[in-house]
Amino acid sequence: MILSGTKIAKNIYKELREKVILMPEKPKLQVILVWENSPSMRYIKQKKKWCDFIGYEFELKEFWNQVSEAELIKCIESSNQDISIHGILVQTPLPAHIYTQKILNSIDPKKDVDWFHPYNQGKVVIGDKSGLEPCTPAGIIELISHVEKSIGGKYIVIVGRSNIVGKPLANMCINLGATVSICNSQTKDLIRYTKKADILIVATGKPKLISKDMIKEEALIIDVGFSVVDGKIWWDCDFDIIQKTHTITPNPGWIWPMTVSFLMKNILKAYYLQK
Ligand code: NAP
């Protein structure tokens, strides 16, 4: 069975739109882009499309790639003070001369809709739901909830330990009562873990890392990763695993909408956190 995030995301957009239409003041997202002719523009256009649909205001602030850290921080500090801006999103990657975490740390945690500030990250570790949420992990948990009543007691294996997917997702699953293993590129004998997983979540960007023989019958597989080799998209899981599983694949088509819909949820939450 294939589970798609597209339909679930559309319902989230509609629910948000119904709430925003009743609001006298509209929440506003500011996106900061530093990259000449960046492919990031494709992602930004999608975010704008859904902001327009929901009724959020959207502002794009562009800088050429020679911009200094100081200039960027000055811009963010000014947006932090601006009460008409409720969410600030710095589109990454940033040019090599800029220390990305320093820039992200300068965003007011209440406006950190892309969830990069250590304050919000810490809240997820301790299971405090009052802060903003990591968009991709929260989207994955929502997807899982459509096929599993509870993940308490499940054995979940996450392949990939990035700050944006693997680590926050592991914390969220632990807080929900799952038993979690998190693997990385140095994990020895990966199959030893993947083969036992009730739920396997793969976010590596390594083509066909997971094959049919690496999973157990009837496991739920969430394939977050993808890569482009010679112009062709590859998923982290070999597509033939579909014969054996519930599977959510391929990304970017079906996980990406969940990420964007949770970004949209964060914008509304950020608005209320500032009231
Ligand atoms: P990342 O920061 O590059 O992290 C990749 C992770 O995969 C690392 O922890 C790495 O281990 C691990 N890894 C690499 N090769 C491995 C191997 N052979 N066995 C086990 N683990 C291995 O990437 P990311 O930002 O988390 O993104 C991962 C993938 O998800 C990418 O394809 C990205 O495009 C996709 N993604 C999709 C969405 C979305 O659609 N919503 C959102 C975010 C990311 P080490 O730490 O040891 O290097």
Side-chain angles (χ1 to χ4, degrees):
M1 182 177 89
I2 293 185
L3 243 185
S4 164
T6 312
K7 202 171 151 197
I8 299 165
K10 276 192 183 146
N11 285 337
I12 294 172
Y13 297 136
K14 279 186 201 150
E15 279 169 24
L16 289 170
R17 183 187 157 102
E18 280 163 20
K19 287 182 185 154
V20 172
I21 216 156
L22 302 172
M23 294 168 72
E25 181 193 27
K26 305 302 175 199
K28 178 169 170 181
L29 173 69
Q30 181 187 64
V31 174
I32 297 174
L33 173 66
V34 189
W35 208 247
E36 213 173 350
N37 300 323
S38 166
S40 301
M41 206 55 214
R42 202 172 56 238
Y43 294 116
I44 292 173
K45 275 185 184 159
Q46 287 186 21
K47 289 164 191 169
K48 181 178 184 322
K49 174 181 148 184
W50 291 112
C51 279
D52 290 347
F53 175 83
I54 291 164
Y56 294 150
E57 287 183 35
F58 179 94
E59 179 185 302
L60 178 62
K61 195 115 182 134
E62 283 177 271
F63 293 90
W64 296 120
N65 56 7
Q66 298 89 344
V67 67
S68 67
E69 276 181 11
E71 272 176 273
L72 268 184
I73 290 175
K74 197 172 159 208
C75 164
I76 291 170
E77 281 172 353
S78 152
S79 301
N80 284 342
Q81 298 304 319
D82 186 337
I83 57 165
S84 75
I85 294 173
H86 306 97
I88 303 169
L89 186 158
V90 177
Q91 190 70 43
T92 54
L94 293 174
H97 69 276
I98 290 175
Y99 179 29
T100 301
Q101 195 58 49
K102 187 174 170 190
I103 301 300
L104 300 173
N105 288 356
S106 69
I107 298 173
D108 178 345
K110 287 187 179 145
K111 300 192 180 194
D112 173 36
V113 287
D114 220 12
W115 192 84
F116 281 119
H117 197 286
Y119 178 82
N120 288 320
Q121 294 173 341
K123 284 197 169 206
V124 165
V125 173
I126 62 169
D128 177 345
K129 288 182 145 298
S130 65
L132 298 167
E133 290 202 288
C135 303
T136 302
I140 291 169
I141 300 271
E142 171 73 23
L143 267 179
I144 294 174
S145 76
H146 286 255
V147 280
E148 297 286 354
K149 271 202 189 104
S150 160
I151 64 169
K154 301 274 181 207
Y155 180 46
I156 300 186
V157 174
I158 301 169
V159 187
R161 58 170 166 174
S162 70
N163 289 341
I164 183 171
V165 185
K167 284 182 201 155
L169 185 57
N171 282 298
M172 292 169 92
C173 293
I174 291 166
N175 291 334
L176 289 167
T179 304
V180 179
S181 292
I182 176 158
C183 304
N184 60 68
S185 63
Q186 296 176 53
T187 300
K188 293 190 174 68
D189 205 9
L190 187 60
I191 190 171
R192 192 154 58 92
Y193 301 90
T194 58
K195 189 98 185 165
K196 289 192 193 133
D198 300 314
I199 301 175
L200 174 65
I201 304 164
V202 195
T204 67
K206 299 291 164 202
K208 293 190 173 192
L209 179 67
I210 306 296
S211 52
K212 199 164 67 174
D213 58 310
M214 293 174 78
I215 58 173
K216 80 173 182 187
E217 206 74 45
E218 293 298 308
L220 168 61
I221 313 288
I222 307 218
D223 187 352
V224 185
F226 64 96
S227 43
V228 182
V229 183
D230 298 333
K232 190 171 177 240
I233 290 187
W234 296 90
W235 303 295
D236 288 9
C237 296
D238 197 336
F239 206 78
D240 69 1
I241 62 168
I242 207 167
Q243 297 156 11
K244 233 173 141 182
T245 61
H246 296 301
T247 176
I248 302 174
T249 189
N251 200 24
W254 295 338
I255 299 284
W256 172 246
M258 293 307 292
T259 300
V260 181
S261 64
F262 272 76
L263 169 69
M264 296 297 136
K265 280 180 94 154
N266 267 351
I267 295 168
L268 190 60
K269 190 166 186 184
Y271 174 89
Y272 285 117
L273 285 175
Q274 290 159 67
K275 294 294 153 191

PDB file of all heavy atoms in Angstrom, residues 67-91:
ATOM      1  N   VAL A  67      26.764  39.012   0.666  1.00  0.00           N
ATOM      2  CA  VAL A  67      26.269  39.652   1.886  1.00  0.00           C
ATOM      3  C   VAL A  67      27.086  39.173   3.094  1.00  0.00           C
ATOM      4  O   VAL A  67      27.514  38.014   3.155  1.00  0.00           O
ATOM      5  CB  VAL A  67      24.753  39.339   2.085  1.00  0.00           C
ATOM      6  CG1 VAL A  67      24.529  37.876   2.372  1.00  0.00           C
ATOM      7  CG2 VAL A  67      24.150  40.198   3.178  1.00  0.00           C
ATOM      8  N   SER A  68      27.302  40.093   4.048  1.00  0.00           N
ATOM      9  CA  SER A  68      28.091  39.711   5.234  1.00  0.00           C
ATOM     10  C   SER A  68      27.156  39.148   6.319  1.00  0.00           C
ATOM     11  O   SER A  68      25.938  39.396   6.299  1.00  0.00           O
ATOM     12  CB  SER A  68      28.833  40.927   5.786  1.00  0.00           C
ATOM     13  OG  SER A  68      27.894  41.854   6.298  1.00  0.00           O
ATOM     14  N   GLU A  69      27.770  38.446   7.274  1.00  0.00           N
ATOM     15  CA  GLU A  69      26.995  37.935   8.416  1.00  0.00           C
ATOM     16  C   GLU A  69      26.331  39.090   9.152  1.00  0.00           C
ATOM     17  O   GLU A  69      25.164  39.011   9.543  1.00  0.00           O
ATOM     18  CB  GLU A  69      27.930  37.212   9.398  1.00  0.00           C
ATOM     19  CG  GLU A  69      28.198  35.788   9.048  1.00  0.00           C
ATOM     20  CD  GLU A  69      29.107  35.102  10.074  1.00  0.00           C
ATOM     21  OE1 GLU A  69      29.367  35.668  11.161  1.00  0.00           O
ATOM     22  OE2 GLU A  69      29.554  34.006   9.771  1.00  0.00           O
ATOM     23  N   ALA A  70      27.105  40.178   9.320  1.00  0.00           N
ATOM     24  CA  ALA A  70      26.597  41.322  10.085  1.00  0.00           C
ATOM     25  C   ALA A  70      25.349  41.912   9.419  1.00  0.00           C
ATOM     26  O   ALA A  70      24.360  42.240  10.098  1.00  0.00           O
ATOM     27  CB  ALA A  70      27.688  42.378  10.206  1.00  0.00           C
ATOM     28  N   GLU A  71      25.370  42.020   8.086  1.00  0.00           N
ATOM     29  CA  GLU A  71      24.206  42.577   7.372  1.00  0.00           C
ATOM     30  C   GLU A  71      22.975  41.691   7.559  1.00  0.00           C
ATOM     31  O   GLU A  71      21.857  42.171   7.767  1.00  0.00           O
ATOM     32  CB  GLU A  71      24.500  42.656   5.870  1.00  0.00           C
ATOM     33  CG  GLU A  71      25.168  43.920   5.405  1.00  0.00           C
ATOM     34  CD  GLU A  71      25.486  43.824   3.911  1.00  0.00           C
ATOM     35  OE1 GLU A  71      26.578  43.298   3.591  1.00  0.00           O
ATOM     36  OE2 GLU A  71      24.646  44.236   3.099  1.00  0.00           O
ATOM     37  N   LEU A  72      23.216  40.380   7.468  1.00  0.00           N
ATOM     38  CA  LEU A  72      22.095  39.445   7.616  1.00  0.00           C
ATOM     39  C   LEU A  72      21.506  39.516   9.017  1.00  0.00           C
ATOM     40  O   LEU A  72      20.284  39.538   9.198  1.00  0.00           O
ATOM     41  CB  LEU A  72      22.580  38.011   7.371  1.00  0.00           C
ATOM     42  CG  LEU A  72      22.472  37.458   5.964  1.00  0.00           C
ATOM     43  CD1 LEU A  72      22.918  36.009   5.949  1.00  0.00           C
ATOM     44  CD2 LEU A  72      21.031  37.569   5.455  1.00  0.00           C
ATOM     45  N   ILE A  73      22.397  39.543  10.007  1.00  0.00           N
ATOM     46  CA  ILE A  73      21.923  39.587  11.396  1.00  0.00           C
ATOM     47  C   ILE A  73      21.166  40.897  11.650  1.00  0.00           C
ATOM     48  O   ILE A  73      20.135  40.900  12.323  1.00  0.00           O
ATOM     49  CB  ILE A  73      23.089  39.366  12.378  1.00  0.00           C
ATOM     50  CG1 ILE A  73      23.543  37.909  12.279  1.00  0.00           C
ATOM     51  CG2 ILE A  73      22.699  39.704  13.819  1.00  0.00           C
ATOM     52  CD1 ILE A  73      24.759  37.531  13.078  1.00  0.00           C
ATOM     53  N   LYS A  74      21.649  41.982  11.040  1.00  0.00           N
ATOM     54  CA  LYS A  74      20.956  43.270  11.199  1.00  0.00           C
ATOM     55  C   LYS A  74      19.525  43.174  10.643  1.00  0.00           C
ATOM     56  O   LYS A  74      18.559  43.638  11.262  1.00  0.00           O
ATOM     57  CB  LYS A  74      21.746  44.354  10.456  1.00  0.00           C
ATOM     58  CG  LYS A  74      21.393  45.751  10.845  1.00  0.00           C
ATOM     59  CD  LYS A  74      22.340  46.741  10.214  1.00  0.00           C
ATOM     60  CE  LYS A  74      21.669  48.099  10.205  1.00  0.00           C
ATOM     61  NZ  LYS A  74      22.114  48.955   9.147  1.00  0.00           N
ATOM     62  N   CYS A  75      19.417  42.526   9.491  1.00  0.00           N
ATOM     63  CA  CYS A  75      18.091  42.363   8.868  1.00  0.00           C
ATOM     64  C   CYS A  75      17.191  41.522   9.774  1.00  0.00           C
ATOM     65  O   CYS A  75      16.022  41.866  10.008  1.00  0.00           O
ATOM     66  CB  CYS A  75      18.255  41.710   7.503  1.00  0.00           C
ATOM     67  SG  CYS A  75      16.722  41.047   6.831  1.00  0.00           S
ATOM     68  N   ILE A  76      17.742  40.410  10.300  1.00  0.00           N
ATOM     69  CA  ILE A  76      16.926  39.522  11.146  1.00  0.00           C
ATOM     70  C   ILE A  76      16.519  40.240  12.431  1.00  0.00           C
ATOM     71  O   ILE A  76      15.368  40.143  12.877  1.00  0.00           O
ATOM     72  CB  ILE A  76      17.680  38.201  11.433  1.00  0.00           C
ATOM     73  CG1 ILE A  76      17.793  37.386  10.136  1.00  0.00           C
ATOM     74  CG2 ILE A  76      16.987  37.385  12.521  1.00  0.00           C
ATOM     75  CD1 ILE A  76      18.696  36.183  10.202  1.00  0.00           C
ATOM     76  N   GLU A  77      17.457  41.002  13.010  1.00  0.00           N
ATOM     77  CA  GLU A  77      17.114  41.717  14.255  1.00  0.00           C
ATOM     78  C   GLU A  77      16.003  42.730  14.008  1.00  0.00           C
ATOM     79  O   GLU A  77      15.110  42.913  14.839  1.00  0.00           O
ATOM     80  CB  GLU A  77      18.356  42.365  14.850  1.00  0.00           C
ATOM     81  CG  GLU A  77      19.185  41.315  15.589  1.00  0.00           C
ATOM     82  CD  GLU A  77      20.544  41.807  16.065  1.00  0.00           C
ATOM     83  OE1 GLU A  77      20.932  42.945  15.709  1.00  0.00           O
ATOM     84  OE2 GLU A  77      21.205  41.025  16.777  1.00  0.00           O
ATOM     85  N   SER A  78      16.039  43.361  12.841  1.00  0.00           N
ATOM     86  CA  SER A  78      14.985  44.311  12.526  1.00  0.00           C
ATOM     87  C   SER A  78      13.644  43.580  12.342  1.00  0.00           C
ATOM     88  O   SER A  78      12.588  44.042  12.812  1.00  0.00           O
ATOM     89  CB  SER A  78      15.419  45.099  11.276  1.00  0.00           C
ATOM     90  OG  SER A  78      14.330  45.527  10.563  1.00  0.00           O
ATOM     91  N   SER A  79      13.679  42.405  11.700  1.00  0.00           N
ATOM     92  CA  SER A  79      12.438  41.623  11.527  1.00  0.00           C
ATOM     93  C   SER A  79      11.941  41.082  12.869  1.00  0.00           C
ATOM     94  O   SER A  79      10.729  40.957  13.086  1.00  0.00           O
ATOM     95  CB  SER A  79      12.663  40.453  10.566  1.00  0.00           C
ATOM     96  OG  SER A  79      13.092  40.939   9.323  1.00  0.00           O
ATOM     97  N   ASN A  80      12.874  40.758  13.770  1.00  0.00           N
ATOM     98  CA  ASN A  80      12.470  40.310  15.117  1.00  0.00           C
ATOM     99  C   ASN A  80      11.632  41.380  15.809  1.00  0.00           C
ATOM    100  O   ASN A  80      10.685  41.082  16.528  1.00  0.00           O
ATOM    101  CB  ASN A  80      13.703  40.021  15.985  1.00  0.00           C
ATOM    102  CG  ASN A  80      14.389  38.707  15.630  1.00  0.00           C
ATOM    103  OD1 ASN A  80      13.798  37.844  14.990  1.00  0.00           O
ATOM    104  ND2 ASN A  80      15.648  38.558  16.040  1.00  0.00           N
ATOM    105  N   GLN A  81      12.015  42.648  15.579  1.00  0.00           N
ATOM    106  CA  GLN A  81      11.320  43.773  16.240  1.00  0.00           C
ATOM    107  C   GLN A  81      10.024  44.150  15.539  1.00  0.00           C
ATOM    108  O   GLN A  81       9.175  44.830  16.110  1.00  0.00           O
ATOM    109  CB  GLN A  81      12.229  45.018  16.268  1.00  0.00           C
ATOM    110  CG  GLN A  81      13.530  44.872  17.053  1.00  0.00           C
ATOM    111  CD  GLN A  81      13.277  44.440  18.492  1.00  0.00           C
ATOM    112  OE1 GLN A  81      12.351  44.908  19.142  1.00  0.00           O
ATOM    113  NE2 GLN A  81      14.091  43.504  18.981  1.00  0.00           N
ATOM    114  N   ASP A  82       9.905  43.753  14.266  1.00  0.00           N
ATOM    115  CA  ASP A  82       8.773  44.188  13.435  1.00  0.00           C
ATOM    116  C   ASP A  82       7.518  43.376  13.796  1.00  0.00           C
ATOM    117  O   ASP A  82       7.424  42.185  13.501  1.00  0.00           O
ATOM    118  CB  ASP A  82       9.149  43.970  11.958  1.00  0.00           C
ATOM    119  CG  ASP A  82       8.100  44.512  11.009  1.00  0.00           C
ATOM    120  OD1 ASP A  82       6.932  44.654  11.418  1.00  0.00           O
ATOM    121  OD2 ASP A  82       8.438  44.770   9.839  1.00  0.00           O
ATOM    122  N   ILE A  83       6.535  44.041  14.410  1.00  0.00           N
ATOM    123  CA  ILE A  83       5.363  43.288  14.900  1.00  0.00           C
ATOM    124  C   ILE A  83       4.451  42.817  13.759  1.00  0.00           C
ATOM    125  O   ILE A  83       3.538  42.025  13.977  1.00  0.00           O
ATOM    126  CB  ILE A  83       4.547  44.078  15.953  1.00  0.00           C
ATOM    127  CG1 ILE A  83       4.107  45.416  15.384  1.00  0.00           C
ATOM    128  CG2 ILE A  83       5.306  44.227  17.254  1.00  0.00           C
ATOM    129  CD1 ILE A  83       3.023  46.077  16.215  1.00  0.00           C
ATOM    130  N   SER A  84       4.716  43.302  12.526  1.00  0.00           N
ATOM    131  CA  SER A  84       3.873  42.832  11.412  1.00  0.00           C
ATOM    132  C   SER A  84       4.411  41.512  10.832  1.00  0.00           C
ATOM    133  O   SER A  84       3.760  40.870  10.020  1.00  0.00           O
ATOM    134  CB  SER A  84       3.792  43.886  10.305  1.00  0.00           C
ATOM    135  OG  SER A  84       5.005  43.915   9.576  1.00  0.00           O
ATOM    136  N   ILE A  85       5.634  41.106  11.240  1.00  0.00           N
ATOM    137  CA  ILE A  85       6.212  39.837  10.759  1.00  0.00           C
ATOM    138  C   ILE A  85       6.100  38.805  11.878  1.00  0.00           C
ATOM    139  O   ILE A  85       6.580  39.033  12.987  1.00  0.00           O
ATOM    140  CB  ILE A  85       7.697  40.027  10.350  1.00  0.00           C
ATOM    141  CG1 ILE A  85       7.778  40.948   9.131  1.00  0.00           C
ATOM    142  CG2 ILE A  85       8.371  38.691  10.061  1.00  0.00           C
ATOM    143  CD1 ILE A  85       9.195  41.345   8.739  1.00  0.00           C
ATOM    144  N   HIS A  86       5.471  37.660  11.566  1.00  0.00           N
ATOM    145  CA  HIS A  86       5.246  36.646  12.612  1.00  0.00           C
ATOM    146  C   HIS A  86       6.148  35.434  12.455  1.00  0.00           C
ATOM    147  O   HIS A  86       6.387  34.712  13.417  1.00  0.00           O
ATOM    148  CB  HIS A  86       3.776  36.228  12.609  1.00  0.00           C
ATOM    149  CG  HIS A  86       2.857  37.405  12.732  1.00  0.00           C
ATOM    150  ND1 HIS A  86       2.255  38.000  11.648  1.00  0.00           N
ATOM    151  CD2 HIS A  86       2.510  38.138  13.819  1.00  0.00           C
ATOM    152  CE1 HIS A  86       1.539  39.037  12.060  1.00  0.00           C
ATOM    153  NE2 HIS A  86       1.680  39.151  13.371  1.00  0.00           N
ATOM    154  N   GLY A  87       6.621  35.168  11.236  1.00  0.00           N
ATOM    155  CA  GLY A  87       7.518  34.034  11.008  1.00  0.00           C
ATOM    156  C   GLY A  87       8.687  34.468  10.130  1.00  0.00           C
ATOM    157  O   GLY A  87       8.491  35.193   9.158  1.00  0.00           O
ATOM    158  N   ILE A  88       9.896  34.027  10.515  1.00  0.00           N
ATOM    159  CA  ILE A  88      11.094  34.340   9.706  1.00  0.00           C
ATOM    160  C   ILE A  88      11.717  33.012   9.285  1.00  0.00           C
ATOM    161  O   ILE A  88      11.972  32.151  10.134  1.00  0.00           O
ATOM    162  CB  ILE A  88      12.132  35.147  10.519  1.00  0.00           C
ATOM    163  CG1 ILE A  88      11.504  36.434  11.057  1.00  0.00           C
ATOM    164  CG2 ILE A  88      13.368  35.448   9.679  1.00  0.00           C
ATOM    165  CD1 ILE A  88      12.378  37.169  12.084  1.00  0.00           C
ATOM    166  N   LEU A  89      11.965  32.877   7.984  1.00  0.00           N
ATOM    167  CA  LEU A  89      12.561  31.629   7.480  1.00  0.00           C
ATOM    168  C   LEU A  89      13.791  32.009   6.647  1.00  0.00           C
ATOM    169  O   LEU A  89      13.664  32.730   5.657  1.00  0.00           O
ATOM    170  CB  LEU A  89      11.523  30.900   6.625  1.00  0.00           C
ATOM    171  CG  LEU A  89      11.832  29.512   6.082  1.00  0.00           C
ATOM    172  CD1 LEU A  89      10.538  28.771   5.761  1.00  0.00           C
ATOM    173  CD2 LEU A  89      12.730  29.537   4.865  1.00  0.00           C
ATOM    174  N   VAL A  90      14.960  31.563   7.087  1.00  0.00           N
ATOM    175  CA  VAL A  90      16.181  31.794   6.296  1.00  0.00           C
ATOM    176  C   VAL A  90      16.378  30.554   5.431  1.00  0.00           C
ATOM    177  O   VAL A  90      16.556  29.445   5.945  1.00  0.00           O
ATOM    178  CB  VAL A  90      17.409  32.011   7.204  1.00  0.00           C
ATOM    179  CG1 VAL A  90      18.667  32.163   6.367  1.00  0.00           C
ATOM    180  CG2 VAL A  90      17.210  33.235   8.097  1.00  0.00           C
ATOM    181  N   GLN A  91      16.294  30.746   4.118  1.00  0.00           N
ATOM    182  CA  GLN A  91      16.411  29.598   3.218  1.00  0.00           C
ATOM    183  C   GLN A  91      17.867  29.144   3.182  1.00  0.00           C
ATOM    184  O   GLN A  91      18.766  29.927   2.881  1.00  0.00           O
ATOM    185  CB  GLN A  91      15.923  30.005   1.814  1.00  0.00           C
ATOM    186  CG  GLN A  91      15.761  28.869   0.841  1.00  0.00           C
ATOM    187  CD  GLN A  91      14.594  27.941   1.178  1.00  0.00           C
ATOM    188  OE1 GLN A  91      13.508  28.393   1.532  1.00  0.00           O
ATOM    189  NE2 GLN A  91      14.817  26.646   1.083  1.00  0.00           N
TER     190      GLN A  91
END
